[in-house]
Amino acid sequence: MHCASRGRFVTFEGVEGAGKSTQVRIFAETAEAAGLKVVLTREPGGCESAERIRELLLHPPAGGLSPLSEALLHYAARREHLGKTIEPALAEGYWVVCDRFADSTMAYQGYGLELGAGVVSALHDLVVGDFAADITVILDMPIETGLARAKARSPEGDRYERLDFDFHRRVRDGFLEIARAHPARCIVIDADRTQEAVADAVRMEIARRLGVTL
Ligand code: T5A
């Protein structure tokens, strides 16, 4: 149950290049046009301290980071983001629309880097507890298509985009496993369509699930 003044927390997840940033922006515009107060944010990042951690995660020093260190850093950034941006905005009645959240750590570090679901769940319980998104949109598409889109946009890629194909396949399987385990929270949307078709599907599903007119 939500108290009348609390906003809603909407997260977007998916493989590289699935169109999250595009769809987050379109959905935020749609929600604002419907008269909702919206905060658009992202992970890793979303507040100054978490943005600094993002720099370390996406551009680590030579020698890299261990999978456990990566997961710890994502959760440190998340704790900052929750306390400084997400929770205050929800308390003020904003809809917080977030480009990636905790499911990304489970999919990328837990499944992709094979840290294991148990380790990520333990961190999640410690840092996030019972807090969860009201709805999570998982944009799903073949790995090849997503990586091709990401590469067309920035050929050099970030450190995750440069990881091998099997890694990205495990990430995609991880997201689909999360969706199966949390059917009330997660909706899987076929993202291998035009931006407009994906945006329509996202808008209709969120409106239906959360009982709002968008
Ligand atoms: N990460 C993150 C972890 O490992 N663990 C964690 O816990 C968290 C939170 C973040 C990286 O960190 C990792 C995951 C990521 O690798 P990022 O720079 O924020 O890095 O990158 P991503 O979240 O992956 O986002 P991208 O910007 O790479 O991709 P998006 O947001 O999925 O896609 P988008 O919208 O930018 O679109 C990509 C391209 O495709 C086009 C767009 O115009 C753009 O050029 N496009 C379409 N083309 C055709 N048809 C459509 N329907 C299209 N939609 C978009």
Side-chain angles (χ1 to χ4, degrees):
M1 283 294 286
H2 300 278
C3 57
S5 62
R6 184 190 179 273
R8 299 297 179 96
F9 186 40
V10 181
T11 60
F12 283 71
E13 301 277 9
V15 292
E16 304 292 318
K20 292 171 306 302
S21 310
T22 305
Q23 294 302 327
V24 160
R25 183 178 42 75
I26 295 173
F27 178 71
E29 287 167 6
T30 303
E32 274 179 341
L36 299 168
K37 299 193 296 179
V38 175
V39 168
L40 193 56
T41 189
R42 70 169 180 184
E43 289 208 346
C47 65
E48 195 181 342
S49 47
E51 290 289 335
R52 289 214 202 165
I53 298 172
R54 177 188 176 91
E55 275 308 303
L56 180 55
L57 278 160
L58 297 193
H59 306 287
L65 298 162
S66 75
L68 179 59
S69 300
E70 278 191 29
L72 288 163
L73 285 168
H74 278 295
Y75 268 99
R78 187 158 300 130
R79 187 58 257 161
E80 289 296 297
H81 188 206
L82 275 166
K84 295 194 167 112
T85 303
I86 298 171
E87 290 164 348
L90 290 174
E92 287 178 29
Y94 283 88
W95 278 50
V96 178
V97 181
C98 192
D99 189 342
R100 296 195 182 278
F101 189 64
D103 296 323
S104 280
T105 317
M106 182 59 85
Y108 278 76
Q109 281 67 46
Y111 287 83
L113 296 179
E114 300 179 292
L115 184 58
V119 174
V120 178
S121 292
L123 284 175
H124 188 87
D125 290 347
L126 178 71
V127 176
V128 178
D130 290 338
F131 178 86
D134 294 286
I135 194 153
T136 296
V137 175
I138 296 178
L139 297 177
D140 183 54
M141 69 188 318
I143 303 303
E144 298 88 334
T145 318
L147 287 174
R149 278 188 195 171
K151 195 164 185 159
R153 194 197 40 195
S154 56
E156 71 287 358
D158 65 30
R159 74 171 258 20
Y160 290 110
E161 283 167 10
R162 289 195 295 268
L163 286 169
D164 68 23
F165 197 80
D166 285 345
F167 166 82
H168 292 289
R169 196 198 313 278
R170 289 194 296 275
V171 170
R172 183 188 187 191
D173 291 346
F175 279 126
L176 295 176
E177 184 60 39
I178 291 165
R180 277 191 290 275
H182 302 279
R185 172 172 67 82
C186 297
I187 42 179
V188 178
I189 301 269
D190 173 10
D192 195 6
R193 296 181 276 175
T194 65
Q195 291 183 13
E196 295 74 19
V198 176
D200 277 352
V202 167
R203 177 180 52 75
M204 285 190 291
E205 275 297 313
I206 293 180
R208 188 175 69 80
R209 294 267 193 125
L210 296 185
V212 290
T213 304
L214 292 169

